[in-house]
């Protein structure tokens, strides 16, 4: 797969413009272009009267090696990096011990999910309640000032930020593409597909609750277990 960067098109470009831009950039015939995928879409709004969309595209074409060598000096035509998530291990089916994850916020959710995907049947301990119950408690506090100290805007399934609009961008450098794994899982759980490529992705208010439920169901389906209303106060090591 070849990655093309800095493909600029007008804001109101039509459906075929991306394919045509690839053909023009690589100087190939339409038959040579098999498929493409938008990896990222940003904006150049410096000229208000001519706003541009800037694409990073992964394209499948005939004669990939030959094209790459003829564009060797062009920094905007390179081999697409492998952004697939690599699991660090897979559990042996005879394994008896189960890893324990404390907290079911974003960190615990992904630790639990990845452990479950690797076959480790994690047990997740969360002091708060499951997200729908937690939503009632949180709105109870906002509307009636009734605070549940274990189930509120901070504590419970989904962690802090569950009742936000889910902004997903950060300034963290991500050379191993871990963010891609997170975003792919979110899309699988029902987030809008455009979060895969827009430059400042956000999920949208109130979508997180349903997504968290789906991700919980996936962990359970893969052999994980989540214990709500279970606060960890101490750890005893034998
Ligand atoms: C209102 C709000 C809006 C936000 N909006 C965004 C946003 O749009 N985009 C963004 O990227 N970030 C946002 N954030 C920040 C984001 O939510 C946090 O960075 C993130 O939640 C941290 O994840 P975490 O898993 O490390 O911790 P937490 O989310 O705090 O999760 C920890 C979990 O552990 C549980 N827990 C704590 N102690 C124990 C214990 N002793 N035993 C068992 N369980 C325990 C808690 O109940 C909680 O569920 C927002 C935060 C808030 C408060």
């Amino acid at each position: 797969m070849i990655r093309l960067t800095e493909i600029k098109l007008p804001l109101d470009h039509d459906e075929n413009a991306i394919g045509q831009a690839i053909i023009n950039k690589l100087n190939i015939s339409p038959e040579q272009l098999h498929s493409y995928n938008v990896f990222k879409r940003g904006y150049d709004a410096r000229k208000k009267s001519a706003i541009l969309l800037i694409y990073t595209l992964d394209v499948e074409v005939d004669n990939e090696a030959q094209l790459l060598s003829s564009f060797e000096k062009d920094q905007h035509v390179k081999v697409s990096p492998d952004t697939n998530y690599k699991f660090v291990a897979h559990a042996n089916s005879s394994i008896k011990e189960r890893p324990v994850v404390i907290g079911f916020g974003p960190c615990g959710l992904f630790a639990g999910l990845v452990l479950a995907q690797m076959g480790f049947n994690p047990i997740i301990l969360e002091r708060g309640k499951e997200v729908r119950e937690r939503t009632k408690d949180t709105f109870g506090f906002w509307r009636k000032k009734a605070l549940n100290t274990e189930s509120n805007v901070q504590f419970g399934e989904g962690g802090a930020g569950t009742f936000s609009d889910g902004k997903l961008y950060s300034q963290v450098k991500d050379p191993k593409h871990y963010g891609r794994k997170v975003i792919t899982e979110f899309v699988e759980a029902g987030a809008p597909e455009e979060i895969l490529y827009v430059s400042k992705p956000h999920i949208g208010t109130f979508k997180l609750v349903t997504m968290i439920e789906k991700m919980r169901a996936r962990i359970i389906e893969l052999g994980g277990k989540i214990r709500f209303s279970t606060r960890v106060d101490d750890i005893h090591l034998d």
Side-chain angles (χ1 to χ4, degrees):
M1 198 114 69
I2 295 180
R3 173 158 293 181
L4 303 181
T5 50
E6 294 288 314
I7 299 291
K8 296 181 183 176
L9 291 170
L11 188 60
D12 59 351
H13 72 74
D14 68 35
E15 242 179 70
N16 303 323
I18 299 180
Q20 193 54 53
I22 296 168
I23 289 165
N24 295 348
K25 172 76 189 175
L26 295 176
N27 197 18
I28 55 175
S29 67
E31 294 71 39
Q32 278 178 274
L33 172 61
H34 296 304
S35 65
Y36 69 84
N37 176 51
V38 177
F39 181 77
K40 200 165 152 203
R41 190 186 68 198
Y43 296 88
D44 181 347
R46 283 173 297 180
K47 262 196 196 162
K48 296 278 175 278
S49 57
I51 296 174
L52 294 172
L53 295 174
I54 305 176
Y55 288 96
T56 298
L57 304 167
D58 289 321
V59 304
E60 275 191 296
V61 285
D62 278 343
N63 300 331
E64 192 179 300
Q66 201 184 320
L67 275 170
L68 281 167
S69 101
S70 55
F71 281 88
E72 201 181 8
K73 295 209 170 93
D74 187 332
Q75 57 168 333
H76 299 303
V77 182
K78 295 284 169 212
V79 179
S80 299
D82 180 1
T83 57
N84 290 317
Y85 182 72
K86 311 278 181 311
F87 291 103
V88 293
H90 284 283
N92 183 321
S93 56
S94 63
I95 194 162
K96 296 250 167 30
E97 291 85 4
R98 300 176 74 172
V100 174
V101 175
I102 302 171
F104 203 38
C107 287
L109 182 70
F110 274 92
L113 181 66
V114 169
L115 283 165
Q117 288 171 335
M118 293 192 295
F120 285 99
N121 304 334
I123 296 170
I124 301 163
L125 308 177
E126 166 55 54
R127 69 188 288 171
K129 298 186 195 170
E130 60 178 63
V131 69
R132 295 244 168 218
E133 287 299 308
R134 180 189 172 201
T135 306
K136 284 187 212 155
D137 293 334
T138 304
F139 279 83
F141 176 66
W142 284 341
R143 288 186 186 138
K144 297 181 195 150
K145 305 282 177 252
L147 175 66
N148 180 333
T149 54
E150 296 303 307
S151 177
N152 49 54
V153 76
Q154 291 294 116
F155 296 151
E157 183 177 27
T162 299
F163 306 110
S164 75
D165 71 342
K167 290 182 195 71
L168 295 177
Y169 43 92
S170 79
Q171 302 199 338
V172 175
K173 289 209 170 74
D174 185 18
K176 294 193 173 164
H177 311 287
Y178 292 142
R180 193 82 186 159
K181 166 72 172 164
V182 170
I183 285 185
T184 307
E185 292 295 348
F186 281 156
V187 170
E188 198 110 314
E193 265 198 45
E194 67 159 30
I195 66 167
L196 284 166
Y197 58 83
V198 293
S199 58
K200 294 214 163 152
H202 85 275
I203 288 175
T205 315
F206 299 125
K207 292 208 176 101
L208 289 169
V209 169
T210 321
M211 286 168 55
I212 289 164
E213 286 178 323
K214 281 200 185 150
M215 293 174 84
R216 181 218 306 156
R218 183 81 187 117
I219 292 172
I220 293 169
E221 187 186 297
L222 290 167
K225 188 175 178 98
I226 298 131
R227 293 192 188 148
F228 292 106
S229 303
T230 305
R231 191 178 76 201
V232 174
D233 288 328
D234 205 351
I235 298 174
H236 297 270
L237 297 175
D238 289 337

